[in-house]
Amino acid sequence: MSLNSKKYSRRSVITFLSGLIITVCSKAANADFKAGQPFRDRFQTYRQTFRIEPDPEEAKRIVKNIIKGRELRKNLISLNAPDIAENGNTVPISFYVNCSMKNDDFPKTVHILVLDNPFPEIAKFHFTPYSGEANVSIRIRMRTSSNIVAIAEMADGTVGETQSYVDVTIGACS
Amino acid sequence: MAEEERKNWRRRLKVPKTAVVDEIITIKTMAEHVMEPGVRRDPETGVIYPKKIIDAVICRFNGQQIYRSQWFSGVSANPFMSFKMKAVTSGLVEVEWIDDYGQSTYKKAVLVVYDNEGKEILPIKIDNINSNKDIM
């Protein structure tokens, strides 16, 4: 009841609190900006605009979440990557899923991950029976020499995985 | 600056013009794009270049989606991708690139498919050609 009395009216309390919050926030933001902190745009929440260090635990967790403890099918997916890549900015890789693209025997999604990158996920590919063969080639970025993992999730729920090690001489900045 | 911006919009698509039925054809795509990962800094000022990548690439055949890929920041600049498609009927192949900012660009190509006797297989079946005369 003390707030509702004439001494502290509701309006005065609200204005005082809001002014205090604004001054504190602006001072903090200015300090950050002067210290060379990155400019934060309004897409900051989902748009990555700062550098983080690679975390192998994170990559393992992502792989674990995709496989979910299912049994791995042998000789399902084959990955074709160079042994030595001179430039980490463009590493050409290609994969092939060994299956007949009929009924339930086609890969729903194929994941490609580079374990030592700060953002291990690189691409996902979604197929349908109309794409006659699951054979895709792309070019990726690699920061250091590390393992490339390709995981195929079939439409009937089975999973296959391959890994191949690539040596990178000059790493990319990602 | 204008030229650099224009570069991000240039796209290439390579589809074979003709194919035999049940043949598996390769489609090659290439987009000229910076694919800024959002972690690079300007060496002088230290300001981070904002993230700008191509998110999704979708391939449609006669309006039906047959292949889709989702990209993150690990794909290289000027991304090249090739994939396969089964030739069933002749029709229109469309490839669409969708940006981080929701801007989309697309390219299209026409594929003509012949059967083993050398006749073109049309996507629409017309049983009786004379039936059209009544409408005309």
Side-chain angles (χ1 to χ4, degrees):
Chain A
M1 288 301 288
S2 63
L3 281 175
N4 286 337
S5 64
K6 283 180 182 174
K7 207 174 181 183
Y8 305 106
S9 70
R10 189 187 288 170
R11 185 175 294 172
S12 69
V13 169
I14 288 170
T15 48
F16 174 71
L17 279 178
S18 58
L20 196 124
I21 289 164
I22 287 168
T23 47
V24 167
C25 288
S26 63
K27 274 193 177 178
N30 273 333
D32 270 321
F33 194 73
K34 276 175 187 169
Q37 288 297 309
F39 172 70
R40 296 181 174 239
D41 59 350
R42 62 202 172 97
F43 300 114
Q44 182 72 63
T45 47
Y46 63 91
R47 195 177 280 275
Q48 184 69 49
T49 52
F50 50 89
R51 188 176 198 120
I52 60 165
E53 289 308 307
D55 186 9
E57 295 280 318
E58 172 79 9
K60 278 175 194 168
R61 193 179 61 77
I62 292 170
V63 171
K64 208 175 159 188
N65 275 350
I66 293 166
I67 293 175
K68 287 175 187 166
R70 287 178 277 187
E71 278 189 17
L72 296 177
R73 219 164 113 182
K74 281 182 182 175
N75 299 327
L76 180 62
I77 182 165
S78 64
L79 183 67
N80 190 9
D83 295 332
I84 299 167
E86 288 180 356
N87 191 357
N89 275 316
T90 53
V91 183
I93 63 164
S94 67
F95 65 83
Y96 171 68
V97 181
N98 185 16
C99 63
S100 65
M101 304 283 284
K102 283 168 190 168
N103 299 330
D104 250 4
D105 193 31
F106 69 93
K108 221 176 183 183
T109 54
V110 174
H111 303 255
I112 288 189
L113 309 156
V114 175
L115 295 185
D116 286 355
N117 267 18
F119 310 108
E121 278 187 313
I122 281 178
K124 283 183 200 171
F125 301 95
H126 307 269
F127 295 93
T128 55
Y130 297 101
S131 47
E133 202 174 59
N135 186 355
V136 172
S137 67
I138 52 160
R139 291 168 189 166
I140 63 170
R141 282 190 183 121
M142 290 178 73
R143 186 190 239 190
T144 52
S145 44
S146 69
N147 268 323
I148 299 177
V149 181
I151 303 167
E153 273 188 282
M154 307 295 280
D156 53 355
T158 53
V159 179
E161 187 198 6
T162 49
Q163 296 198 353
S164 76
Y165 189 79
V166 178
D167 254 324
V168 178
T169 47
I170 302 167
C173 180
S174 97
Chain B
M1 192 65 194
E3 273 188 16
E4 279 176 27
E5 277 178 13
R6 179 157 166 65
K7 257 189 181 178
N8 287 336
W9 291 90
R10 227 175 277 166
R11 306 281 184 262
R12 289 183 207 162
L13 173 65
K14 222 173 195 181
V15 181
K17 282 178 183 171
T18 59
V20 187
V21 68
D22 287 348
E23 189 187 346
I24 288 168
I25 58 169
T26 58
I27 297 172
K28 293 177 183 173
T29 66
M30 169 103 153
E32 290 191 12
H33 199 276
V34 284
M35 297 292 275
E36 198 66 58
V39 295
R40 290 200 311 132
R41 273 176 196 275
D42 196 314
E44 289 177 2
T45 57
V47 175
I48 288 179
Y49 297 127
K51 184 176 178 182
K52 186 177 187 180
I53 59 168
I54 291 174
D55 256 0
V57 183
I58 301 168
C59 178
R60 293 192 187 89
F61 182 69
N62 281 344
Q64 190 181 11
Q65 185 174 302
I66 57 164
Y67 168 79
R68 182 161 58 92
S69 74
Q70 195 181 346
W71 291 353
F72 302 97
S73 62
V75 179
S76 71
N78 299 336
F80 163 84
M81 179 172 67
S82 78
F83 54 93
K84 307 277 178 179
M85 200 190 93
K86 198 176 187 182
V88 182
T89 60
S90 54
L92 185 72
V93 180
E94 285 173 301
V95 176
E96 186 181 9
W97 292 264
I98 299 172
D99 212 336
D100 215 358
Y101 288 75
Q103 297 162 333
S104 78
T105 51
Y106 78 97
K107 275 237 162 190
K108 56 190 178 183
V110 174
L111 175 72
V112 179
V113 177
Y114 297 105
D115 60 0
N116 292 323
E117 295 165 4
K119 268 188 174 179
E120 189 184 342
I121 303 172
L122 294 169
I124 303 164
K125 279 186 180 175
I126 302 166
D127 295 333
N128 189 9
I129 297 168
N130 292 329
S131 65
N132 276 346
K133 279 184 180 176
D134 302 334
I135 303 164
M136 302 290 275

